[in-house]
Amino acid sequence: MGRLARKGAVMANLRTLSILLSLLVPAHATRSPDCGGILTPSGLNYFAEVSKPHAEAVLRQDLMTVPDLFLSSPKPSRNQINSVKVAELSLTLIPDTGLRLSIDVDLSITPAPSTTKVMRLSILSDLHVEMNPEGNLEMVTSGCKTSMEEMQSTEEMESKSSSSDVDKEINVDKICLEVSKLLLLPNEQLMSLTAQFPITPSCQVQYLPLAAPMFSEQGITISLQTTFQVVGMAIPLPVSPVPFSMPEPASSSPSHLTLAFSEHFYTSLFFALEMAGAFNMTIPSPLTTATMAQKITQMGSLFQEDLPVVLQAMFRSSPRVVLEEGKAALKLFLTVQVGAGAPAFQSFLSVNVDMTAGLLLSVADTRMMITAAGIEETELSLATSDVGPVPAAVLEELFLPTIREEVPAQMNVVLSEGIFLPHISSFTYTDVNIVIHKDYVLVPCNLKLEARPGEQTTVG
């Protein structure tokens, strides 16, 4: 009995040592994308639509208190801005360059007592996105133009008079500073893209941009590399990633955004969870040493009393995800220790188990939900035995039903919280469709701005 207990302890210690050693290996140096996203023109239009309240709030706060908005005003108080309303805000793709921001702002201005004029302030600004030294994406202005024209007057007589009562020469520097202020919140939200998200208490995921986004007529493409951390340390990749590039989107895609994940991304996820020990399982069994002795005669001489049998499963090789057209599968390579469970676990049999399970993928808010379902193949073979040779048919009869039921069930408990997808704060995903292709998964979806209680509706 003591020898069996020592054998189980040694194997557990070796497993712990292998995990620690692998954590000390530097993460793979190759920077290659394993996932990414394409924001389509329709998604850009949605951003522009929900940006209007934020833009209006920022412009109202400053323009109504700016003393030097008009260059030729002899006195700061001559023209009083009473209200600021964003009439139109649009974002247009400029292929290979960036975006053009166009804002039309209606200003209600009082140039003299009992007179109110509405002036249309038009702002054009070119934007581009770059990577800052911290590795975050940052939107910056690269050009700005403004103009102003009179829209209407509150008094017919005033409308016939010269419009020189309201100065039309705008302090461009001041207005363009306001445009820069409009980018503060979007840049905060772009920084949230690289946040660390928990998978389990000891395992986190982080998405890192590899370069500034690419701008084309199809949309804005961002390539990302996924980093998994276990107890705060980046883990090495299980295999070198196959070069992965974002698939070209359909030119008329109705979705706001298309996310793409390579096969390597999913294999890395399961590898990280395995390294964190999340898939180490203790499996109850309906068997006892006495019932096993009916099939394996040497059990009777090893155990004089009837004890409950317990299975302990660990990976002997990293799990692997295989993506085919319309189908995702998870290949598992386990070693199951069979032992007496009381008073302490004592292994007397080791069984190698190779399983293939189907994977179901869905999205809830900003998380991908992954479920192991439908065991497709299972192979059992004897690894070591303290009770003599055991035929494969006996192994299957004794352990197969329990393993087929419990392994995916316990894995699904670990996976039940899902994995956070790349996203920026305040936005979630709706109208999601998941399309599995050979070697990669596409996730076309729409964006939805989440208005939190007590917060003003804003946009990045």
Side-chain angles (χ1 to χ4, degrees):
M1 290 288 190
R3 183 173 65 85
L4 294 175
R6 286 194 300 273
K7 177 183 174 184
V10 168
M11 291 196 69
N13 289 335
L14 286 174
R15 177 63 179 168
T16 302
L17 180 61
S18 69
I19 292 175
L20 291 173
L21 288 174
S22 66
L23 290 176
L24 294 175
V25 177
H28 202 286
T30 303
R31 288 176 59 80
S32 176
D34 55 16
C35 64
I38 301 175
L39 181 69
T40 66
S42 61
L44 198 60
N45 290 339
Y46 177 77
F47 268 113
E49 174 190 341
V50 296
S51 291
K52 286 175 67 175
H54 170 63
E56 192 170 285
V58 172
L59 292 172
R60 181 187 298 119
Q61 178 180 349
D62 286 353
L63 294 185
M64 291 180 67
T65 58
V66 169
D68 54 351
L69 178 62
F70 304 99
L71 287 176
S72 57
S73 294
K75 297 179 181 179
S77 60
R78 176 179 170 186
N79 295 311
Q80 178 66 44
I81 299 178
N82 303 314
S83 68
V84 176
K85 180 175 178 58
V86 173
E88 189 69 37
L89 188 151
S90 65
L91 290 165
T92 308
L93 283 165
I94 306 175
D96 304 319
T97 303
L99 300 172
R100 177 155 294 156
L101 170 65
S102 175
I103 310 176
D104 287 339
V105 188
D106 288 344
L107 305 176
S108 177
I109 300 175
T110 303
S114 72
T115 303
T116 300
K117 292 182 180 293
V118 175
M119 308 295 291
R120 170 65 57 88
L121 170 64
S122 297
I123 306 169
L124 278 178
S125 182
D126 289 341
L127 311 175
H128 67 274
V129 181
E130 57 189 32
M131 278 189 68
N132 62 24
E134 290 75 35
N136 292 309
L137 298 179
E138 186 174 358
M139 198 180 305
V140 297
T141 58
S142 56
C144 180
K145 297 178 182 178
T146 65
S147 63
M148 183 180 281
E149 63 177 339
E150 184 175 346
M151 299 294 289
Q152 67 183 52
S153 172
T154 54
E155 295 185 14
E156 185 179 347
M157 186 177 69
E158 288 293 328
S159 67
K160 296 176 183 177
S161 65
S162 170
S163 62
S164 62
D165 290 346
V166 177
D167 300 289
K168 295 183 182 179
E169 283 195 66
I170 301 299
N171 188 334
V172 176
D173 291 341
K174 191 67 182 177
I175 295 298
C176 292
L177 179 60
E178 298 306 311
V179 174
S180 296
K181 290 182 181 178
L182 291 179
L183 301 182
L184 292 177
L185 178 62
N187 282 331
E188 284 181 13
Q189 293 175 317
L190 277 175
M191 285 180 61
S192 71
L193 178 67
T194 59
Q196 290 186 6
F197 301 110
I199 306 174
T200 69
S202 63
C203 186
Q204 292 82 37
V205 63
Q206 185 176 23
Y207 300 99
L208 302 175
L210 292 180
M214 301 292 292
F215 293 84
S216 68
E217 293 181 358
Q218 284 74 38
I220 306 170
T221 302
I222 301 178
S223 295
L224 302 169
Q225 184 181 61
T226 312
T227 299
F228 294 96
Q229 296 188 351
V230 176
V231 294
M233 299 178 66
I235 64 169
L237 301 178
V239 292
S240 297
V242 175
F244 176 73
S245 59
M246 287 292 299
E248 284 293 322
S251 57
S252 58
S253 172
S255 298
H256 294 164
L257 177 72
T258 298
L259 297 171
F261 301 91
S262 68
E263 188 176 88
H264 182 265
F265 166 85
Y266 291 99
T267 292
S268 297
L269 165 64
F270 280 92
F271 175 74
L273 290 171
E274 181 233 338
M275 296 297 293
F279 291 146
N280 292 342
M281 310 172 202
T282 297
I283 302 173
S285 167
L287 300 170
T288 67
T289 53
T291 55
M292 282 191 64
Q294 297 173 12
K295 299 290 182 179
I296 306 172
T297 54
Q298 289 193 41
M299 289 286 298
S301 58
L302 193 62
F303 296 97
Q304 282 72 45
E305 56 180 319
D306 194 14
L307 298 173
V309 169
V310 175
L311 312 182
Q312 289 189 351
M314 292 185 297
F315 282 90
R316 71 178 191 277
S317 182
S318 298
R320 188 162 61 90
V321 174
V322 178
L323 301 176
E324 301 290 347
E325 288 296 323
K327 179 182 177 182
L330 175 66
K331 294 185 177 294
L332 306 174
F333 311 97
L334 304 165
T335 294
V336 176
Q337 302 287 339
V338 182
F345 182 77
Q346 302 173 20
S347 173
F348 55 83
L349 199 65
S350 293
V351 180
N352 287 337
V353 180
D354 293 352
M355 302 176 66
T356 301
L359 285 182
L360 301 179
L361 307 177
S362 62
V363 172
D365 295 326
T366 55
R367 302 187 196 207
M368 178 168 286
M369 313 307 293
I370 304 173
T371 305
I375 300 300
E376 299 170 358
E377 298 176 10
T378 311
E379 291 184 14
L380 274 64
S381 60
L382 186 64
T384 62
S385 174
D386 290 336
V387 290
V390 182
V394 173
L395 292 176
E396 291 189 3
E397 180 184 352
L398 291 173
F399 307 120
L400 187 56
T402 299
I403 290 172
R404 287 175 62 96
E405 180 178 349
E406 287 292 329
V407 168
Q410 293 200 27
M411 291 188 72
N412 286 337
V413 170
V414 175
L415 298 169
S416 62
E417 293 297 317
I419 177 173
F420 280 101
L421 298 173
H423 68 282
I424 62 174
S425 61
S426 302
F427 284 88
T428 187
Y429 299 133
T430 64
D431 308 314
V432 179
N433 185 26
I434 293 181
V435 186
I436 303 174
H437 294 287
K438 180 172 174 57
D439 302 330
Y440 67 94
V441 172
L442 288 184
V443 185
C445 57
N446 287 336
L447 296 165
K448 182 181 178 184
L449 178 64
E450 294 284 286
R452 299 177 183 176
E455 286 188 351
Q456 186 175 13
T457 302
T458 56
V459 67

